[in-house]
Amino acid sequence: MLLNDLRWYTVGDARILKIQDLMLAALSPEQLLPDWDEATALQIYPRLPETLDSSETKVLLSVHSWLIEDRGRKILIDTGAGNNKARPAALYFDHLQTVWLENLMLAGVCPEDIDFVLLTHLHVDHVGWNTRLQNGIWVPTFPNARYVFSRAEYDFFSNPAHDSVRNKTSFMTRADSVDPIVRAGLADQIDVDGSDFLEGISFHPTPGHTPHHASVVLRSGVEHALFTGDVMHHPIQVCVPEWSAVFDADPQTAIISRKWALNYAVEHDATVFTSHFPMTSAGRVMTDDQNMSWSFL
Ligand SMILES: [Zn+2]
């Protein structure tokens, strides 16, 4: 879908915009969150219906990037699912034709303008627009960018011992969306340790969804933005962080990372930019003495 309004967020001096790739309505809440309990869910998250499709049976999952303009730099957080890619084991992403690139251009940004592409992890719906098909070859979409991601994550999805049924799509994804970046010399593989990779930007370890998943923090002045990646898939997980998603490789570790991210957001009064929440996909973590809750911005 084409963007019909450009809703820029401001965090300090930085500007942030969602670049939509697609919307999915494929899974019921029970399928997405195996610990789901309908009565509990409606009690703790009354706004549940607006996160479901029109039949109110399937969870709406957005797939998108975040574009950041900060200190003269143009930065993308994650790159959606991409076009033309064969995904026989993940048919929702198979041979897509989306208008993600047109949406980027509507924001006034050409692929050549992007300085950095920061990847939270290397799953199919986060690295797709890293490359595009030209004359039968996958070439970097952003020829002037440095692509930054966890070295350990890349090593994990390169190790034949991890080429399981669960990881099949991730291995195909690596081959057409990450390896061409590495071969072109555009990759900066980093150790994820919370230190600043760029002025005001840091990667923080939030493992569980994948073994070396990272969340990204942007600081501008006294304000913080937290890009969670796939630490959460649905706003109700702010209320019950113990409910891990079916996509989390290590559900127990994912809970620890989710709690870390939520606490970070509260402590630093951060604006939170999620990877899959529907509607604006951005919001704040609200807290009282006992509980946390989600508020869309
Ligand atoms: Zn994802």
Side-chain angles (χ1 to χ4, degrees):
M1 74 197 76
L2 275 173
L3 297 176
N4 49 18
D5 70 319
L6 300 184
R7 186 186 181 122
W8 288 93
Y9 293 89
T10 301
V11 173
D13 294 329
R15 299 197 324 144
I16 299 165
L17 177 70
K18 183 166 76 166
I19 307 295
Q20 191 75 46
D21 200 13
L22 64 152
M23 288 293 295
L24 294 175
L27 300 174
S28 68
E30 298 84 347
Q31 288 170 319
L32 177 67
L33 303 167
D35 294 321
W36 182 265
D37 170 67
E38 185 83 14
T40 306
L42 280 166
Q43 190 184 355
I44 59 178
Y45 193 67
R47 296 184 66 178
L48 177 67
E50 64 189 11
T51 66
L52 304 176
D53 72 347
S54 55
S55 71
E56 297 198 358
T57 59
K58 299 280 200 279
V59 178
L60 289 171
L61 292 171
S62 174
V63 177
H64 54 260
S65 304
W66 293 104
L67 170 68
I68 305 170
E69 296 187 350
D70 174 53
R71 286 166 256 223
R73 311 168 297 196
K74 287 185 170 43
I75 300 166
L76 286 170
I77 307 275
D78 291 338
T79 62
N83 276 1
N84 300 305
K85 298 192 164 170
R87 302 291 183 239
L91 292 176
Y92 291 107
F93 302 117
D94 188 47
H95 288 99
L96 290 175
Q97 296 297 325
T98 78
V99 292
W100 183 94
L101 203 50
E102 286 81 355
N103 281 334
L104 183 69
M105 308 272 263
L106 279 177
V109 175
C110 296
E112 294 75 18
D113 298 336
I114 297 294
D115 300 299
F116 294 95
V117 177
L118 312 182
L119 303 173
T120 59
H121 63 300
L122 302 184
H123 270 173
V124 56
D125 51 327
H126 293 260
V127 303
W129 280 101
N130 280 3
T131 58
R132 54 179 164 170
L133 201 55
Q134 277 184 356
N135 302 319
I137 296 171
W138 295 110
V139 301
T141 307
F142 314 103
N144 301 318
R146 300 304 303 173
Y147 290 69
V148 187
F149 50 89
S150 161
R151 180 196 321 279
E153 178 90 349
Y154 183 72
D155 289 348
F156 181 88
F157 287 119
S158 303
N159 183 340
H162 301 143
D163 193 358
S164 60
V165 171
R166 182 184 188 98
N167 293 331
K168 180 174 171 50
T169 297
S170 297
F171 272 69
M172 292 191 77
T173 297
R174 194 209 74 229
D176 61 34
S177 302
V178 186
D179 286 350
I181 302 305
V182 175
R183 282 197 294 271
L186 299 180
D188 286 331
Q189 298 186 48
I190 63 167
D191 297 323
V192 173
D193 59 5
S195 62
D196 272 18
F197 169 76
L198 295 166
E199 184 188 353
I201 294 183
S202 47
F203 282 70
H204 298 258
T206 44
H209 179 67
T210 62
H212 303 282
H213 184 280
S215 299
V216 176
V217 166
L218 163 73
R219 298 181 318 282
S220 181
V222 297
E223 297 189 30
H224 291 236
L226 174 63
F227 299 87
T228 55
D230 281 8
V231 163
M232 301 180 283
H233 289 75
H234 189 278
I236 202 165
Q237 291 176 287
V238 177
C239 313
V240 272
E242 296 79 11
W243 287 3
S244 281
V246 68
F247 305 118
D248 294 341
D250 180 343
Q252 291 305 314
T253 304
I255 293 170
I256 296 167
S257 292
R258 200 169 300 118
K259 289 180 176 176
W260 177 86
L262 294 171
N263 284 328
Y264 185 97
V266 170
E267 262 175 45
H268 299 278
D269 198 20
T271 308
V272 178
F273 297 88
T274 74
S275 286
H276 292 307
F277 288 10
M279 298 190 284
T280 64
S281 311
R284 300 187 92 76
V285 176
M286 317 300 283
T287 185
D288 59 26
D289 290 346
Q290 305 275 315
N291 303 301
M292 290 186 184
S293 61
W294 175 259
S295 177
F296 279 104
L297 286 174

